[in-house]
Amino acid sequence: MAKGPAVITGGLVLAAVTGQAAAADLLLQDDLIAAIAPPGSVTSESTRRIDATDRLIIPGLINAHTHGHGGLAKGSGDRWSLETLLNAGPWLNGGRDDDDRYLSTLLAAVEMLRKGCTACYDLAALLPYPSVEGLHSVSRAYSDAGMRAVIAPMIADRSFYQAIPGLLDAFPPELRAIADAMRTAPGETTLAAIRETAASWSHPSDRIRLGIAPTIPLHCSDAFLSGCRDLANEYGLPLQTHLAESSVQRTAALKQYGVSLTRHLDQLGMLGPRFSAAHAIWLDAEEIDLIGERGGAIAHNPGSNLRLGNGIADMRPAIARGIAVGVGTDGSSSADNQNMFEAMRLAAFVSRVFDRPPEDWIGAVEALRLATEGSAAVLGMSDLIGRIAPGYKADLVFLDLDHVNLVPLNNAAQQLVNGEDGTAVRDVMVGGEYVLRDGVLVGIDWPRIVARARAAAERLKEANAGSRAAAEKLAPVISHFCIGLGRCAHDLPRKLQA
Ligand SMILES: [Zn+2]
């Protein structure tokens, strides 16, 4: 934590409302922004000076949905649907020890920081179930990188193969035996581990919070979902799930529950102000209303949705309904980079494919707001981060005004959202302390991490070769079955009104 007062002087500061940049000084006290002051107005000799000449200062971007476990699995798969990705989960993320978990998360954290993101919501898969030590390895990665995070263990008590009605029966017997053998840990074991972690969590709540992520509702029995809800209520944990991410999930839910996914979760008492839905593509108007009524939020992941062919989530009706919408990248095995500039740009651009006039599209200023204030709401940290304003944490990103992306600077918001790719980021500060300075990571021995990550990836490739071969045998049946199931959803009524 920064000691005493400091002033960041000489830079341009982005104004969130107008999207314009203007010369201003930022007065810091400890880890907070104390005031925005006219340039050069802070003259006190006891105030430490931080030079921001030739820098554009923006609030740290906030990633509303990612998976640190994707760090070691980047570059996997290409023409994968969500369902073939889930089938690959055991070899992508399995066989890991706590050191692998630390490395994978650190790779994701480093990429986020380098690309101007200072906080994230990480749905962390720790196979076969999340141990207390495993979750501490993940939290240590964020702590070492200097990022804020919500770490929500991604859990289930049904395998992917059990979760899709009819899928197991679609396999010929020898393949069915392989799919049938893939089981999750018992639900009670998983929930007990999270309870133990929640009871012993010692990170400051403004830095690293524990959350809980029943991964995909269909992968969880009602008893397991209720167990997650109770833990979230007991320990005040943010709860996030992948909601209606694919058309397959929408159809499967109607088959399984007789009602929509969101209605089913609501019947179990899962929705509320600590609830957020990742993706939220295949929702109808009633589901949007339910999320809004209960005070829930949505994490919009346009890059991942395009990559996996899931469709395009229409965020305008949710925003119009007053729902907090944040922007996420999703994990590196589905998205693939951890670049919030790209995620913002895609959020803006995909909003234009619906049949609406341009004034209803997501513009640059709004995209920036979603990726800062909106995502802060998803993390449950609206009162701490997402704004450059007095009383907020000094989580700041400094872009090089001499970088070609910003020369000339005609319109800050538009150049940040429509043009920036993260390469103009020079410095990043979290809580008033540099974590990236002049392009160099402050708390990380990067060459050492590189060597360790390469060695871990090689070892895991070998260790998971068998489960990879098994998954590759199952993939064609899954692909064929799910295309048929998913198509049914296209015929269901889901008209949304903005
Ligand atoms: Zn995800």
Side-chain angles (χ1 to χ4, degrees):
M1 189 179 286
K3 295 281 181 290
V7 63
I8 300 173
T9 183
L12 301 183
V13 177
L14 180 77
V17 177
T18 61
Q20 299 296 326
D25 288 356
L26 296 176
L27 192 62
L28 309 188
Q29 180 65 45
D30 300 324
D31 64 343
L32 298 175
I33 298 163
I36 303 173
S41 63
V42 179
T43 52
S44 157
E45 289 203 353
S46 60
T47 302
R48 188 165 53 97
R49 309 186 80 74
I50 299 166
D51 183 30
T53 307
D54 299 326
R55 296 286 184 263
L56 168 62
I57 306 170
I58 68 169
L61 302 174
I62 302 169
N63 193 343
H65 178 80
T66 187
H67 304 277
H69 58 253
L72 277 174
K74 61 181 64 150
S76 304
D78 182 12
R79 288 179 292 173
W80 270 354
S81 67
L82 173 63
E83 284 72 28
T84 41
L85 167 67
L86 292 171
N87 173 56
W91 70 262
L92 287 177
N93 311 313
R96 295 186 180 184
D97 61 25
D98 287 344
D99 201 39
D100 300 325
R101 296 182 176 112
Y102 171 83
L103 285 169
S104 190
T105 310
L106 191 62
L107 293 177
V110 163
E111 185 175 355
M112 284 188 262
L113 284 177
R114 285 201 163 281
K115 296 172 184 173
C117 171
T118 51
C120 74
Y121 201 134
D122 179 349
L123 276 65
L126 294 89
L127 303 178
Y129 66 92
S131 68
V132 178
E133 300 72 32
L135 286 165
H136 284 310
S137 311
V138 171
S139 63
R140 196 160 47 81
Y142 287 112
S143 164
D144 288 356
M147 258 185 94
R148 293 182 210 278
V150 171
I151 299 167
M154 191 170 102
I155 50 177
D157 68 340
R158 283 183 192 141
S159 73
F160 159 68
Y161 312 97
Q162 295 169 312
I164 307 288
L167 176 57
L168 276 172
D169 295 331
F171 291 111
E174 73 281 9
L175 294 184
R176 186 189 158 130
I178 296 174
D180 216 13
M182 309 243 206
R183 294 292 170 105
T184 62
E188 313 81 69
T189 310
T190 300
L191 294 175
I194 294 174
R195 173 178 295 281
E196 199 187 332
T197 309
S200 63
W201 197 253
S202 59
H203 294 280
S205 72
D206 62 357
R207 277 282 174 171
I208 303 178
R209 287 185 187 172
L210 184 69
I212 188 165
T215 178
I216 294 171
L218 287 157
H219 294 219
C220 305
S221 67
D222 288 358
F224 187 77
L225 286 170
S226 303
C228 292
R229 173 204 62 203
D230 292 347
L231 274 177
N233 289 342
E234 191 178 338
Y235 291 97
L237 309 178
L239 185 151
Q240 191 173 103
T241 188
H242 296 88
L243 187 69
E245 183 177 354
S246 68
S247 55
V248 171
Q249 290 176 6
R250 178 168 169 79
T251 316
L254 289 169
K255 268 182 194 249
Q256 176 106 350
Y257 307 130
V259 293
S260 70
L261 279 162
T262 314
R263 171 65 71 188
H264 183 69
L265 292 182
D266 191 51
Q267 285 169 349
L268 293 173
M270 309 281 295
L271 305 187
R274 282 194 307 273
F275 171 87
S276 55
H279 302 283
I281 305 172
W282 290 89
L283 300 183
D284 59 32
E286 186 205 41
E287 293 180 272
I288 298 280
D289 264 346
L290 269 174
I291 295 170
E293 259 169 49
R294 304 287 185 247
I298 292 177
H300 180 34
N301 303 280
S304 162
N305 298 342
L306 292 169
R307 150 78 135 103
L308 298 173
N310 282 321
I312 295 172
D314 185 4
M315 286 297 112
R316 181 56 70 205
I319 295 168
R321 179 72 181 67
I323 294 171
V325 171
V327 177
T329 58
D330 212 345
S332 287
S333 32
S334 63
D336 296 56
N337 59 36
Q338 299 294 300
N339 189 338
M340 282 297 296
F341 287 101
E342 184 181 289
M344 279 197 291
R345 178 163 57 251
L346 289 171
F349 288 2
V350 302
S351 74
R352 299 162 195 204
V353 305
F354 301 98
D355 184 20
R356 294 208 186 91
E359 57 268 29
D360 286 340
W361 296 352
I362 292 174
V365 171
E366 189 175 19
L368 267 166
R369 187 161 48 73
L370 298 182
T372 50
E373 294 175 42
S375 293
V378 174
L379 269 64
M381 295 188 180
S382 286
D383 54 338
L384 298 176
I385 55 175
R387 294 177 60 191
I388 296 180
Y392 279 77
K393 298 289 183 186
D395 292 4
L396 303 166
V397 173
F398 301 73
L399 295 102
D400 179 4
L401 281 165
D402 290 344
H403 190 282
V404 68
N405 290 353
L406 301 173
V407 178
L409 189 71
N410 290 318
N411 181 299
Q414 289 181 39
Q415 283 169 261
L416 287 165
V417 172
N418 298 340
E420 179 56 42
D421 53 5
T423 51
V425 171
R426 288 300 298 171
D427 316 284
V428 177
M429 199 177 254
V430 176
E433 293 284 356
Y434 282 112
V435 293
L436 182 81
R437 183 149 203 191
D438 237 345
V440 178
L441 294 158
V442 174
I444 302 286
D445 181 353
W446 181 241
R448 195 161 161 261
I449 295 300
V450 170
R452 284 169 63 192
R454 284 181 182 143
E458 272 309 308
R459 177 173 48 75
L460 290 170
K461 197 172 163 184
E462 233 167 83
N464 291 325
S467 57
R468 179 175 186 163
E472 284 171 356
K473 279 187 203 158
L474 300 176
V477 178
I478 292 163
S479 190
H480 184 76
F481 182 84
C482 289
I483 285 170
L485 192 62
R487 276 209 184 109
C488 306
H490 293 261
D491 304 326
L492 297 167
R494 59 181 290 276
K495 178 129 185 72
L496 301 175
Q497 270 102 40

